[in-house]
Amino acid sequence: MSILDEKKRVAIVGQSGGPTVAINASLAGVIGEARKAGFSKVYGMVNGISGFLEGRTVDLFDRFPGEKSLDDLAHTPSMYLGSCRHKLPEVSDTAFYKDLVDKLNKLGVTDFFYIGGNDSMDTVAKLSAYGEQSTCPIRFIGIPKTIDNDLLGTDHTPGFGSAARVVSECMRNISFDARSYNLQSVTIVEIMGRDAGWLAAASALAGERPGLSVFEIGNAPDLIYLCEIPFDIDSYIEDVKDVLKKKKTVLVAVSEGIHDKDGVFIDEAGSEHKTDAFGHTVHSGVGKVLEGITADRLGIKVRSVELSVLQRCLAPLSSPVDLYEARNCGRVAINMAMTGETGIMIGMDRTSNSPYQISYAPQPIEDIPNKVKTVPLEWIDTKHHGVTEEMMDYLRPLVG
Amino acid sequence: MSILDEKKRVAIVGQSGGPTVAINASLAGVIGEARKAGFSKVYGMVNGISGFLEGRTVDLFDRFPGEKSLDDLAHTPSMYLGSCRHKLPEVSDTAFYKDLVDKLNKLGVTDFFYIGGNDSMDTVAKLSAYGEQSTCPIRFIGIPKTIDNDLLGTDHTPGFGSAARVVSECMRNISFDARSYNLQSVTIVEIMGRDAGWLAAASALAGERPGLSVFEIGNAPDLIYLCEIPFDIDSYIEDVKDVLKKKKTVLVAVSEGIHDKDGVFIDEAGSEHKTDAFGHTVHSGVGKVLEGITADRLGIKVRSVELSVLQRCLAPLSSPVDLYEARNCGRVAINMAMTGETGIMIGMDRTSNSPYQISYAPQPIEDIPNKVKTVPLEWIDTKHHGVTEEMMDYLRPLVG
């Protein structure tokens, strides 16, 4: 491809789905590499595809004139461009897609990049499918991002390593806090993950640096429950009692998405019919629900902590490896577009664990959406309240 | 005092009350300075005065043989020695105090140090009073510690600066998260402080580094409610509506201890009669209670985040100034004991704000306990939902 051809290339990029601390790093990767590759313009969609359809775009070369400004962007959490949750219609709705492509053509867009998780890859897959059937020459490329680590086609997702680091750091420091008093207590930490337990599993890393204390410490957390295994309240209470035979303070990590053998979420079961004294409905997370159950059954001090949005936004605890890889995913997306790829998501392959090495490879976009990569059952210990050494080996390099 | 006299000096030190990230720094200061000053031994009370009464002590020179180990201790959050919440009887119970002093004499203790907040200073005050009336020669010295910053006799308390930094960093990053979507929303962040609003006030620091976004950002948080001012739900809803006229996402910081004009805590009012579907009582914090009210009144997306124990334990976000001063408070306590002081708490005086400078001074211990230093009303803005520039000047140097 000649320099002249490349000068005519115009990219557009959007961010979609839930925020992470790494998604702006991918955006910075796209902008910086597009400039190097000779793109004449990079548009940003404000609030993703939804904002684009309303005509809301910005000029990103203009806003980020040099590497310094891109470094600042890469270290800003959440989405610079804003997000959306917008499901595109089926590809059979050709009128919709023709209109959308007309809007892209009006801006002279040759390359479309979309950074996000499962739903965002659904957007890229539909656009790619329409592009193929209509022989539209625009390249459509997905860049992965989700703290949940539940995307197929990649060893792990940008955003996960940082969230995993927040979870393990918080868990580590909560464990110091929990053992201050000389009394029996249970501390339950609720961790994000409705469909996959990757983040809750990352809490196990907290036990690797036990820190200084006059007390016997042991692992932190003592018990980890992932949503891949049906949760049984009676077994859980027995597990807690077993730990209490050996030590006074029990630390429990739990995926928000744990559910019973019939698939009923524990938090939903516990939140029914609940209103406060003002008559307002209150939704309690699974941590609060388990707190009530544990306190009533065991009659000891119980506290629950919901890490909440801090897991996905606490930039000072981000993983350097995660930010580095997220930025690379943006760069690789541009480079793959330059070689003519379309209808792909950038995936990461782990080629070695020690030393940790990954390579970037295109993944067919149609294989990605509407599926969930859950934790392999063989990485959960046989007692169903912890993780195996294989899981630890997988996690360690990602938190940096 | 001759070297010989000093060789006979034996210290005992305890930690009490709620954990902070800085309380081990004070302990490290006591141990290191006692070694320099020629103390022959430093005992640690395990679980404070309560553990001491049960005969649980450790040899701290033995456990921390050099400066490197003390540096590690100073950077470990929560209490190395464990804590207690144990109220001593009135000083008129001379039998109790005679027994306690006998136990100290058996160890040869000449100097007693206790690191903690209001209740811990009550312990030191009672021991000092007994010591004075019984002409017991042991020196009793309090070292301040509380994230709540509500102790009299000191410009601020060790532990507060770090907690304030956690609050402002979390608030800053939550503000990035909250503005991702193109829809009206309210995010309520519940911050520790039952009796004083210092920590909630520290959330105002988040607005000083707004960060990168394609959107108009404005201050974060938009509204701050401290427990010093009676909270009125109707006024609060009007305040939120006013912000929504100017921007889509409203960020609210609130002290856990806000209460109505009759002194009824908002969280208690909202938590009455509330049980979940399993029949267990659920205590909701003020954030959850306000979340329900706000969603019902305004019909828009509302989320609440409880920073919970992370405020007092998240060591990676600790304030370097805070850790430095906390360690100095431990050192100064030893030095003041060497000059014969007793019946005091180590206080910090701010001698200059720019450059920030403090000096350490003894404060009569009897002036400290059972009182609360609240936020001066003139540091709260006239609309009662923010803080003044004076408050910001006070806070800035403390977070480091």
Side-chain angles (χ1 to χ4, degrees):
Chain A
M1 192 170 287
S2 74
I3 293 289
L4 197 68
D5 285 330
E6 286 173 12
K7 284 233 160 152
K8 288 178 197 154
R9 286 182 84 148
V10 172
I12 191 162
V13 55
Q15 298 172 308
S16 171
T20 79
V21 302
I23 191 167
N24 283 337
S26 293
L27 180 63
V30 166
I31 302 169
E33 200 70 7
R35 185 179 279 123
K36 273 194 209 156
F39 277 68
S40 61
K41 214 180 234 314
V42 175
Y43 287 104
M45 311 178 207
V46 177
N47 292 118
I49 195 73
S50 152
F52 170 74
L53 289 168
E54 296 163 4
R56 293 190 289 131
T57 59
V58 291
D59 181 333
L60 291 171
F61 278 175
D62 192 42
R63 285 175 181 248
F64 297 95
E67 279 299 303
K68 169 70 180 72
S69 61
L70 289 174
D71 288 345
D72 288 346
L73 175 62
H75 289 90
T76 300
S78 197
M79 4 265 278
Y80 173 81
L81 290 168
S83 184
C84 70
R85 292 199 187 275
H86 186 91
K87 203 172 172 66
L88 294 191
E90 294 306 313
V91 184
S92 53
D93 185 352
T94 49
F96 172 85
Y97 286 94
K98 190 175 173 308
D99 176 60
L100 195 157
V101 169
D102 281 350
K103 287 187 162 82
L104 291 172
N105 286 335
K106 227 174 246 174
L107 298 176
V109 168
T110 55
D111 299 83
F112 178 104
F113 302 93
Y114 212 47
I115 317 171
N118 222 310
D119 294 338
S120 312
M121 294 309 126
D122 182 70
T123 296
V124 180
K126 284 172 173 162
L127 287 168
S128 302
Y130 176 78
E132 196 170 1
Q133 77 181 39
S134 67
T135 66
C136 145
I138 299 173
R139 279 159 288 263
F140 296 100
I141 294 185
I143 300 169
K145 171 278 327 172
T146 167
I147 64 163
D148 293 326
N149 200 37
D150 61 355
L151 276 184
L152 289 174
T154 186
D155 174 76
H156 59 280
T157 53
F160 171 68
S162 292
R165 184 169 170 149
V166 173
V167 166
S168 71
E169 278 290 348
C170 287
M171 187 61 78
R172 176 171 190 260
N173 289 292
I174 289 170
S175 81
F176 290 120
D177 192 272
R179 65 177 173 242
S180 295
Y181 294 102
N182 186 32
L183 50 86
Q184 285 197 318
S185 69
V186 180
T187 302
I188 300 159
V189 181
E190 176 185 333
I191 298 164
M192 281 181 168
R194 200 84 190 152
D195 305 315
W198 295 105
L199 267 184
S203 68
L205 294 168
E208 306 222 303
R209 291 183 299 134
L212 296 170
S213 170
V214 78
F215 304 108
E216 196 76 40
I217 296 167
N219 291 329
D222 303 286
L223 301 168
I224 303 174
Y225 299 96
L226 309 187
C227 49
E228 279 77 3
I229 303 282
F231 186 82
D232 179 76
I233 289 174
D234 294 328
S235 307
Y236 155 74
I237 293 291
E238 289 309 309
D239 293 345
V240 173
K241 282 184 186 169
D242 280 347
V243 178
L244 284 171
K245 286 176 195 158
K246 288 169 278 178
K247 54 194 289 212
K248 286 196 170 172
T249 54
V250 185
L251 193 58
V252 180
V254 60
S255 291
E256 64 173 325
I258 52 166
H259 47 72
D260 66 18
K261 62 179 168 30
D262 301 319
V264 180
F265 287 113
I266 303 298
D267 57 354
E268 278 179 8
S271 280
E272 281 178 329
H273 316 303
K274 201 170 33 166
T275 55
D276 70 14
F278 297 115
H280 304 284
T281 306
V282 177
H283 172 82
S284 286
V286 67
K288 278 275 176 223
V289 171
L290 284 184
E291 177 185 323
I293 293 170
T294 313
D296 282 7
R297 294 264 198 113
L298 299 179
I300 61 177
K301 188 187 164 196
V302 185
R303 180 195 286 275
S304 67
V305 181
E306 188 185 347
L307 297 185
S308 187
V309 295
L310 295 174
Q311 291 161 87
R312 66 187 194 195
C313 74
L314 202 53
L317 298 187
S318 57
S319 156
V321 173
D322 183 35
L323 294 189
Y324 174 78
E325 291 178 348
R327 195 154 175 180
N328 275 349
C329 283
R331 290 172 174 140
V332 169
I334 291 290
N335 291 327
M336 289 197 181
M338 295 300 290
T339 65
E341 292 274 12
T342 181
I344 58 159
M345 181 188 83
I346 309 304
M348 289 188 274
D349 276 339
R350 192 181 302 211
T351 51
S352 158
N353 216 3
S354 178
Y356 171 69
Q357 283 178 333
I358 59 153
S359 67
Y360 300 85
Q363 302 292 327
I365 189 71
E366 63 273 18
D367 296 348
I368 313 296
N370 310 315
K371 292 164 193 148
V372 174
K373 189 179 74 176
T374 54
V375 172
L377 296 185
E378 61 272 23
W379 287 10
I380 301 174
D381 77 8
T382 52
K383 290 181 175 168
H384 292 172
H385 54 55
V387 300
T388 65
E389 194 49 37
E390 260 176 312
M391 172 63 100
M392 299 296 275
D393 288 342
Y394 170 83
L395 291 168
R396 276 187 204 100
L398 307 183
V399 299
Chain B
M1 192 169 288
S2 76
I3 292 292
L4 196 68
D5 285 331
E6 286 173 12
K7 283 232 160 153
K8 288 180 197 151
R9 285 182 85 148
V10 173
I12 192 163
V13 56
Q15 298 173 308
S16 171
T20 78
V21 302
I23 189 167
N24 282 337
S26 293
L27 180 62
V30 167
I31 302 169
E33 200 71 7
R35 187 179 279 123
K36 271 193 210 157
F39 276 68
S40 60
K41 215 182 233 314
V42 175
Y43 288 103
M45 310 177 208
V46 176
N47 291 119
I49 195 73
S50 153
F52 169 74
L53 290 168
E54 296 163 3
R56 295 190 288 131
T57 59
V58 291
D59 181 333
L60 291 171
F61 278 174
D62 192 42
R63 285 175 180 247
F64 297 95
E67 278 300 302
K68 167 72 179 71
S69 61
L70 290 174
D71 288 345
D72 287 346
L73 175 63
H75 288 90
T76 300
S78 195
M79 4 267 277
Y80 173 82
L81 289 168
S83 185
C84 70
R85 292 199 187 276
H86 186 91
K87 203 171 171 68
L88 294 190
E90 293 307 313
V91 184
S92 53
D93 185 352
T94 49
F96 171 85
Y97 286 94
K98 190 175 172 309
D99 177 60
L100 195 157
V101 169
D102 281 350
K103 286 187 163 83
L104 291 172
N105 286 336
K106 228 174 246 174
L107 298 176
V109 168
T110 55
D111 299 83
F112 178 104
F113 301 94
Y114 213 47
I115 317 170
N118 221 309
D119 294 338
S120 312
M121 294 308 127
D122 182 69
T123 296
V124 180
K126 284 171 173 163
L127 286 168
S128 303
Y130 176 78
E132 196 169 0
Q133 78 182 40
S134 66
T135 65
C136 145
I138 300 172
R139 278 160 289 264
F140 296 100
I141 294 184
I143 301 170
K145 173 278 327 173
T146 168
I147 64 164
D148 293 327
N149 200 39
D150 60 356
L151 276 184
L152 290 174
T154 186
D155 174 75
H156 58 281
T157 54
F160 172 67
S162 292
R165 184 167 170 153
V166 174
V167 166
S168 71
E169 277 290 346
C170 287
M171 186 61 78
R172 176 172 189 260
N173 288 291
I174 289 170
S175 81
F176 290 119
D177 193 271
R179 64 177 174 242
S180 295
Y181 294 100
N182 186 31
L183 49 84
Q184 284 197 320
S185 70
V186 180
T187 302
I188 300 160
V189 181
E190 176 184 333
I191 298 164
M192 281 181 168
R194 201 84 191 154
D195 305 313
W198 294 105
L199 267 184
S203 68
L205 293 168
E208 305 222 303
R209 292 183 299 135
L212 295 170
S213 171
V214 77
F215 305 108
E216 195 77 38
I217 297 168
N219 291 330
D222 302 286
L223 302 167
I224 303 173
Y225 299 96
L226 309 187
C227 49
E228 279 77 2
I229 302 280
F231 186 81
D232 180 77
I233 290 175
D234 293 328
S235 307
Y236 155 74
I237 293 290
E238 289 309 309
D239 292 344
V240 173
K241 282 185 186 168
D242 280 347
V243 178
L244 284 171
K245 286 178 194 156
K246 286 170 278 179
K247 55 193 290 210
K248 286 196 169 173
T249 55
V250 185
L251 193 57
V252 180
V254 60
S255 291
E256 63 173 323
I258 53 166
H259 46 72
D260 67 18
K261 61 180 170 28
D262 301 318
V264 179
F265 287 113
I266 302 298
D267 57 355
E268 278 178 8
S271 280
E272 280 179 328
H273 317 303
K274 200 169 32 163
T275 55
D276 69 14
F278 297 114
H280 305 285
T281 307
V282 177
H283 172 82
S284 287
V286 66
K288 278 277 175 222
V289 170
L290 283 183
E291 176 185 323
I293 293 170
T294 313
D296 283 6
R297 293 265 197 113
L298 299 179
I300 62 177
K301 187 187 164 197
V302 185
R303 180 195 286 274
S304 66
V305 181
E306 188 184 347
L307 298 185
S308 186
V309 295
L310 295 174
Q311 291 161 87
R312 66 187 193 193
C313 73
L314 202 54
L317 299 187
S318 57
S319 156
V321 173
D322 183 34
L323 294 189
Y324 175 78
E325 291 177 348
R327 196 156 176 179
N328 276 349
C329 282
R331 291 172 174 140
V332 169
I334 291 290
N335 291 328
M336 289 196 182
M338 294 301 289
T339 65
E341 291 274 13
T342 181
I344 58 159
M345 181 189 82
I346 309 303
M348 290 188 273
D349 275 340
R350 192 181 301 212
T351 51
S352 159
N353 217 3
S354 178
Y356 171 69
Q357 283 178 333
I358 59 153
S359 66
Y360 300 85
Q363 301 291 328
I365 190 70
E366 65 271 17
D367 296 348
I368 312 295
N370 310 314
K371 292 165 193 148
V372 174
K373 188 180 76 176
T374 53
V375 171
L377 296 184
E378 61 273 23
W379 287 9
I380 301 173
D381 78 6
T382 52
K383 290 180 176 170
H384 292 172
H385 55 55
V387 300
T388 65
E389 194 49 39
E390 260 176 311
M391 172 63 100
M392 299 295 275
D393 288 341
Y394 170 82
L395 292 168
R396 276 188 204 101
L398 308 183
V399 299

